Amino acid sequence: SSADIGVTGMGVMGRNLARNLARHEHRVAIHNRTASKTEDVMDQFGDEGTFVPSESLEDFVSSLTPPRVAIVMVQAGAATDAVIDDLADLLDEGDIIVDAGNALFTDTRRREAALKERGLHFVGCGVSGGEEGALWGPSIMPGGSADSYKRLGPMLESISAHVDGEPCCTHVGEDGAGHFVKMVHNGIEYADMQVIGEAYDLLRRGLGLTPAEISEIFAEWNKGDLDSYLMEVSTEVLRQVDAETGKPLVDIIVDQAGQKGTGMWTVQTALDLAVPVTGIGEATFARGLSSAVVQRDAAADFEGIADEWNIADRDAFIEDVRQALYASKIIAYSQGFNEIQAAATEYGWDISLADMARIWRDGCIIRARFLGDVTKAYDKNPELPLLLADEYFYNAVKTALPHWRRVVSLAALHGVPAPVFSSSLSYYDGVRADRLPAALIQGQRDYFGAHTYKRVDKEGTFHTLWATEERGEVES
Ligand code: NDP
């Protein structure tokens, strides 16, 4: 036994994590179901550090120094279960299995509970940053026991991205907390991408700009509050010209957005927790709408634009759209953090929201300057009921408001869908409202279902006898 840590699953992600570990002078045991892939890694990258390759899972486990740490990086679902089962049979009490794939947090909770009974630590670990991140420094979100983090943490921190010397990796919380936070990260990513898409669409249709011109505007925005990896990616995509046709590539790509399910999980879970994540929800539904080919075909000739675009002040409109994007982004993050907060309460996780923002500042797909400000907000007040309640963000949204309202109105008047821009504004107006029509909903519920209501002027629970002539009220 000579390796500090092992990785099984030499796919795209697994091999890059292993290489990253080796580069940081950890001795890494490597294994793959199909042995030729392990050989392949040795041939190509064997000289990058100390690798201990094994053909069998038995040899892989034997090559690990106890207490053993084995990272599983295979397809989520049944494959992960199968590999965990095989590993568990070979490991000893106190050993640590890390699932670094994209597992659903409820699966992670189930696996953790089962392995705990066998004396094993199980760490569901979110890893973001894609292929390149895994190799050069991802953002890492490990859950599991605090005990396991003592052994595992320093190794993961060494290979994660760093900002000002701080690792983008921390112990998130017990059992499924790491995978939960990774899931919400991905949900936020959906919203982040969609708001950029809505800004692009409005600039293009509103001002008749070309993708290349919008790329230049985005590059400019990327120097300010909106500075982010996804903005940079969008700049690159928009200026790409298709070699075959000479047209902007974005006009050649089929406009049906794919998804692997983490956005959907975030929304489903938010529904379970009764947390309104309208930004992530609308972003996920927008992908669904884009791929709803049958419905889009059937609706293709429907009446659309009420007014023709006629923007007099080009620069003012560009600024309106930028502000709408920024405000909608703040709302989406605020909601995502609320989902993490609600889950922490529900599952008894001690999650620091400041630390979550901190470890997302680099390495991951949503990395952005913005997350430094989010970190500051939760550092200042860990109990912040919503990100918007922080002075810095409240002022940003307040400044954005007139711009944002103008953009949402113009989008509606000109028949341009802006689901996240507009639903985020509705959320803002809803959450700040003095009175909501929820009072009428309560009346309706009491009328048809005797669900009762509370009064603004006294304690207690009441029901109106709707079926009687007098419609008197009784306390229930
Ligand atoms: P790949 O498709 O590149 O590799 C899959 C790996 O899983 C292979 O090593 C394969 O082995 C192994 N495998 C599949 N089924 C089994 C099984 N039943 N038993 C043993 N091994 C099995 O996948 P990726 O590296 O892209 O993804 C791995 C995980 O990482 C997934 O959970 C994915 O969701 C996640 N991921 C995360 C990303 C991120 O940004 N964080 C990006 C991409 C993926 P074999 O060679 O024998 O087929």
Side-chain angles (χ1 to χ4, degrees):
S1 55
S2 56
D4 306 314
I5 190 165
V7 182
T8 176
M10 288 291 109
V12 186
M13 292 295 288
R15 68 172 58 191
N16 281 1
L17 270 186
R19 290 173 60 197
N20 190 346
L21 282 160
R23 220 178 47 245
H24 285 88
E25 294 180 358
H26 305 290
R27 291 162 300 172
V28 192
I30 57 172
H31 169 265
N32 193 66
R33 177 180 61 179
T34 312
S36 60
K37 250 190 216 169
T38 312
E39 282 167 33
D40 190 45
V41 172
M42 288 309 290
D43 288 346
Q44 288 187 64
F45 313 111
D47 59 358
E48 290 181 1
T50 309
F51 294 99
V52 186
S54 292
E55 279 201 20
S56 72
L57 201 62
E58 287 79 2
D59 290 346
F60 170 73
V61 168
S62 308
S63 72
L64 296 168
T65 310
R68 303 176 184 87
V69 182
I71 299 181
V72 180
M73 200 53 171
V74 304
Q75 243 97 56
T80 298
D81 269 321
V83 175
I84 291 171
D85 281 349
D86 291 347
L87 266 177
D89 289 340
L90 298 167
L91 294 173
D92 295 320
E93 221 172 290
D95 288 349
I96 303 167
I97 300 179
V98 183
D99 173 15
N102 268 334
L104 180 60
F105 79 100
T106 46
D107 285 339
T108 304
R109 282 169 59 77
R110 168 177 60 76
R111 290 170 181 146
E112 201 267 347
L115 291 172
K116 195 191 252 166
E117 287 196 1
R118 301 172 64 172
L120 297 171
H121 294 285
F122 181 69
V123 177
C125 181
V127 180
S128 177
E131 235 179 283
E132 287 293 298
L135 183 56
W136 297 111
S139 170
I140 311 180
M141 294 151 255
S145 65
D147 233 13
S148 64
Y149 194 78
K150 284 187 203 138
R151 166 111 172 82
L152 174 66
M155 288 192 276
L156 294 183
E157 289 181 11
S158 73
I159 66 161
S160 75
H162 284 75
V163 179
D164 304 331
E166 289 178 310
C168 293
C169 171
T170 191
H171 181 233
V172 173
E174 298 280 315
D175 59 79
H179 274 145
F180 187 93
V181 163
K182 171 60 168 39
M183 173 188 79
V184 174
H185 162 285
N186 284 28
I188 289 175
E189 179 183 312
Y190 276 51
D192 243 343
M193 293 166 75
Q194 176 68 22
V195 286
I196 296 173
E198 290 178 18
Y200 152 75
D201 201 20
L202 281 158
L203 290 176
R204 188 151 189 196
R205 299 218 234 167
L207 297 173
L209 299 176
T210 64
E213 287 168 325
I214 297 169
S215 170
E216 275 170 37
I217 293 170
F218 281 6
E220 215 34 62
W221 291 359
N222 204 25
K223 293 176 188 160
D225 295 324
L226 292 174
D227 176 354
S228 69
Y229 173 65
L230 282 169
M231 208 61 189
E232 189 186 314
V233 166
S234 309
T235 306
E236 293 292 329
V237 173
L238 288 175
R239 72 159 190 237
Q240 184 71 17
V241 174
D242 176 48
E244 213 167 297
T245 59
K247 291 182 181 165
L249 180 67
V250 73
D251 288 345
I252 301 299
I253 298 177
V254 174
D255 61 343
Q256 294 165 21
Q259 48 184 320
K260 282 196 185 162
T262 42
M264 175 192 75
W265 287 348
T266 311
V267 180
Q268 285 176 333
T269 306
L271 289 170
D272 287 337
L273 295 164
V275 179
V277 290
T278 57
I280 300 169
E282 288 295 349
T284 308
F285 286 134
R287 289 197 191 186
L289 187 151
S290 76
S291 301
V293 178
V294 174
Q295 286 73 22
R296 288 183 67 186
D297 271 350
D301 294 327
F302 288 0
E303 181 66 32
I305 302 165
D307 293 344
E308 290 299 328
W309 282 102
N310 182 20
I311 303 287
D313 188 339
R314 177 183 180 275
D315 290 344
F317 182 70
I318 292 171
E319 178 59 8
D320 283 349
V321 173
R322 191 188 70 85
Q323 293 278 2
L325 197 176
Y326 186 39
S328 304
K329 178 174 167 127
I330 293 171
I331 300 285
Y333 278 71
S334 184
Q335 295 174 337
F337 277 88
N338 278 155
E339 182 169 351
I340 295 174
Q341 234 167 5
T345 304
E346 174 75 18
Y347 298 108
W349 297 327
D350 184 17
I351 301 182
S352 154
L353 296 180
D355 282 350
M356 295 310 101
R358 210 186 314 276
I359 65 172
W360 289 346
R361 284 178 303 165
D362 203 1
C364 62
I365 305 297
I366 65 171
R367 61 185 181 257
R369 179 194 293 192
F370 174 81
L371 282 157
D373 300 318
V374 178
T375 305
K376 276 186 217 149
Y378 285 112
D379 267 337
K380 229 190 305 168
N381 180 4
E383 307 300 323
L384 212 54
L386 70 176
L387 181 57
L388 284 177
D390 175 73
E391 203 186 342
Y392 176 85
F393 286 108
Y394 175 57
N395 283 332
V397 168
K398 203 164 71 172
T399 305
L401 260 185
H403 304 276
W404 192 11
R405 293 197 189 286
R406 209 150 42 228
V407 168
V408 169
S409 317
L410 286 170
L413 287 171
H414 296 89
V416 179
V420 177
F421 280 11
S422 51
S423 66
S424 301
L425 182 56
S426 281
Y427 173 87
Y428 174 80
D429 283 327
V431 80
R432 69 171 185 83
D434 176 33
R435 291 280 296 161
L436 288 168
L440 174 58
I441 310 293
Q442 283 298 80
Q444 293 164 338
R445 294 177 70 241
D446 189 61
Y447 186 101
F448 65 69
H451 292 303
T452 74
Y453 51 85
K454 293 188 189 306
R455 296 179 58 100
V456 296
D457 54 357
K458 55 183 171 188
E459 291 290 305
T461 304
F462 301 89
H463 167 57
T464 290
L465 301 167
W466 298 100
T468 65
E469 189 87 30
E470 306 77 30
R471 297 197 162 176
E473 186 181 71
V474 293
E475 196 161 356
S476 62

